[in-house]
């Protein structure tokens, strides 16, 4: 079914819904929180009762976003509709079975290639720059309210998920919408300063340590790691050093950059970044994860050496053939 048809169906169901829960994936990021706060505020302005749900800790560099005070972990609510944002897999929404089943209408709004179409209405545009760009389309085509705060949230999500408009999913339409959001009042300078120019000093020290121990594999792959004891040493969160993965990727030699992040003793989250035609989304998918062509992630269980070997084997299998 065409996206416009799905948006029309959503608009029809929205007319019948007075109370709406909104939720996004675990491990919040800019597109996650941007789409969640933007659509929540738009529906609130429309006169709906909104219940945006967030189970995880919000990264420090995103705490400037408007309407974060609306977020709650409470799922003991009566709702007519649930809107799931920026989440390809139902399992990544957290423990929401009871709430999801309670809703009369279930809406899935997302841009990931691996989306499983788990909603009754699926406003899914695979390969789109961000869910925030898609929410902009929904707001525009459904004639929903938009204001300065909504624009700020949407531009934040578009900026972060495009890597500051660097990734290949950035189109002329993406840039035009970003321009429109600035016209609506979004402050691009504030977004750039608070997200990209306000790194904790201790986080930079940890990034220096990570970079000094990064392995260059087969000349074109940079593999770094960070352990929980390092985070404790510098008193920083994992979200504080997420940008370190781009450092080697942004050199002329490296085609794939990998960051292995310890979560528990034998569980690691692995992030991949690439440039050009190198499809790390397929690499992550083969390792049980997913994402986009140039940015993806997965989780792998095992000791560090076993995890590292799995990653190398999959990269070898891919062969950097592109």
């Amino acid at each position: 079914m065409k996206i416009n048809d799905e948006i029309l169906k959503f608009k029809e169901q929205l007319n019948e819904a007075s109370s709406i829960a909104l939720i996004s994936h675990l491990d919040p990021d800019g597109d996650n929180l941007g789409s969640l706060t933007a659509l929540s505020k738009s529906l609130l302005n429309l006169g709906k009762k909104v219940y945006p749900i967030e189970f995880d800790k919000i990264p420090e560099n995103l705490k400037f976003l408007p309407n974060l005070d609306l977020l709650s972990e409470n799922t003991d609510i009566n709702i007519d509709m649930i809107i799931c944002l920026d989440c390809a897999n139902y399992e990544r929404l957290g423990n929401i079975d009871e709430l999801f089943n309670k809703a009369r209408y279930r809406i899935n709004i997302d841009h990931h290639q691996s989306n499983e179409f788990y909603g009754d209405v699926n406003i899914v545009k695979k390969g789109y720059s961000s869910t925030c760009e898609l929410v902009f389309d929904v707001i525009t085509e459904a004639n929903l309210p938009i204001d300065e705060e909504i624009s700020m949230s949407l531009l934040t999500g578009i900026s972060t998920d495009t890597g500051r408009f660097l990734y290949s999913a950035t189109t002329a339409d993406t840039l035009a919408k970003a321009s429109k959001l600035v016209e609506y009042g979004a402050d691009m300078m504030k977004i750039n300063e608070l997200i990209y120019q306000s790194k904790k000093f201790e986080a930079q020290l940890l990034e220096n340590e990570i970079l000094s121990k990064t392995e260059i594999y087969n000349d074109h792959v940079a593999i770094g790691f960070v352990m929980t004891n390092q985070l404790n040493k510098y008193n920083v969160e994992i979200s504080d050093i997420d940008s370190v993965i781009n450092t080697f990727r942004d050199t002329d030699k490296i085609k794939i950059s990998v960051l292995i992040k310890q979560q528990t003793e034998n569980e690691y989250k692995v992030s991949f970044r690439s440039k050009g035609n190198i499809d790390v989304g397929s690499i992550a998918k083969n390792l049980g994860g997913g994402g986009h062509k140039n940015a993806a992630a997965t989780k792998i269980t095992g000791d560090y050496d076993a995890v590292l070997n799995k990653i190398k084997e999959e990269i070898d299998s891919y062969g950097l053939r592109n």
Side-chain angles (χ1 to χ4, degrees):
M1 184 171 288
K2 295 180 180 178
I3 290 293
N4 288 350
D5 292 337
E6 293 291 272
I7 294 176
L8 179 61
K9 188 186 298 184
F10 163 63
K11 186 177 181 181
E12 291 171 350
Q13 294 181 354
L14 189 60
N15 290 332
E16 303 296 322
S18 60
S19 55
I20 303 166
L22 301 95
I23 191 166
S24 190
H25 62 75
L26 301 172
D27 300 322
D29 57 29
D31 197 25
N32 163 308
L33 291 171
S35 56
L36 187 60
T37 54
L39 192 53
S40 294
K41 178 67 186 307
S42 182
L43 295 177
L44 188 66
N45 288 352
L46 190 65
K48 304 294 184 181
K49 294 179 182 177
V50 297
Y51 303 96
I53 297 165
E54 180 57 71
F55 293 122
D56 270 355
K57 185 176 181 180
I58 296 171
E60 286 294 326
N61 67 343
L62 292 170
K63 287 186 175 178
F64 73 90
L65 282 170
N67 300 300
L68 290 177
D69 58 314
L70 297 175
L71 304 184
S72 170
E73 294 184 4
N74 180 30
T75 60
D76 185 20
I77 50 180
N78 292 315
I79 57 168
D80 303 311
M81 174 182 284
I82 186 167
I83 303 175
C84 306
L85 294 152
D86 195 42
C87 191
N89 315 106
Y90 177 81
E91 292 75 18
R92 285 204 69 204
L93 293 168
N95 185 21
I96 64 154
D97 286 354
E98 183 177 349
L99 187 65
F100 191 83
N101 293 329
K102 187 187 299 184
R104 181 180 175 189
Y105 305 113
R106 305 176 186 94
I107 315 298
N108 167 23
I109 303 177
D110 184 43
H111 72 127
H112 291 95
Q113 293 283 358
S114 54
N115 192 278
E116 297 175 348
F117 292 84
Y118 51 83
D120 301 321
V121 172
N122 296 286
I123 304 173
V124 176
K125 200 155 187 177
K126 296 185 176 184
Y128 228 40
S129 78
S130 55
T131 296
C132 277
E133 182 178 351
L134 188 51
V135 170
F136 178 90
D137 291 349
V138 172
I139 287 174
T140 301
E141 294 180 30
N143 295 315
L144 300 180
I146 189 166
D147 60 20
E148 182 177 317
E149 291 184 341
I150 294 166
S151 299
M152 190 69 169
S153 288
L154 292 179
L155 187 57
T156 297
I158 293 173
S159 175
T160 55
D161 243 37
T162 60
R164 284 189 267 186
F165 305 98
L166 177 68
Y167 299 149
S168 59
T170 306
T171 65
D173 281 344
T174 308
L175 296 173
K177 290 166 191 173
S179 176
K180 196 69 177 176
L181 290 169
V182 172
E183 289 182 20
Y184 284 137
D187 189 339
M188 176 67 86
M189 185 176 294
K190 182 177 180 180
I191 292 170
N192 287 337
E193 179 179 348
L194 294 178
I195 294 182
Y196 308 116
Q197 298 177 329
S198 297
K199 182 187 298 179
K200 290 181 180 178
F201 183 76
E202 292 77 12
Q204 183 62 62
L205 295 178
L206 175 53
E207 288 191 3
N208 294 344
E209 184 175 313
I210 293 169
L211 294 170
S212 71
K213 298 177 181 179
T214 293
E215 174 186 357
I216 305 303
Y217 178 65
N218 286 350
D219 292 330
H220 299 297
V221 181
I223 305 176
F225 65 88
V226 58
M227 301 297 182
T228 52
N229 63 340
Q230 292 174 286
L231 295 172
N232 294 334
K233 172 185 173 183
Y234 290 97
N235 192 29
V236 297
E237 303 286 340
I238 193 69
S239 58
D240 294 326
I241 52 93
D242 268 352
S243 64
V244 70
I245 192 173
N246 299 324
T247 305
F248 278 111
R249 190 275 314 271
D250 293 343
T251 64
D252 59 352
K253 181 177 180 178
I254 298 302
K255 296 180 178 179
I256 296 176
S257 187
V258 183
L259 182 61
I260 305 170
K261 298 172 278 191
Q262 185 181 39
Q263 297 196 307
T264 63
E265 183 177 356
N266 284 303
E267 185 176 45
Y268 296 83
K269 182 176 180 180
V270 184
S271 296
F272 299 88
R273 297 291 185 271
S274 67
K275 56 192 173 189
N277 290 323
I278 305 298
D279 186 3
V280 290
S282 66
I283 294 173
K285 183 178 180 180
N286 289 338
L287 290 167
H292 307 288
K293 182 177 181 179
N294 298 125
T298 190
K299 288 185 179 181
I300 305 176
T301 301
D303 63 55
Y304 178 80
D305 289 337
V307 170
L308 180 61
N309 287 334
K310 283 184 180 179
I311 294 167
K312 289 181 176 180
E313 288 172 4
E314 191 56 46
I315 290 173
D316 289 341
S317 177
Y318 182 82
L320 296 184
R321 52 188 177 274
N322 294 319

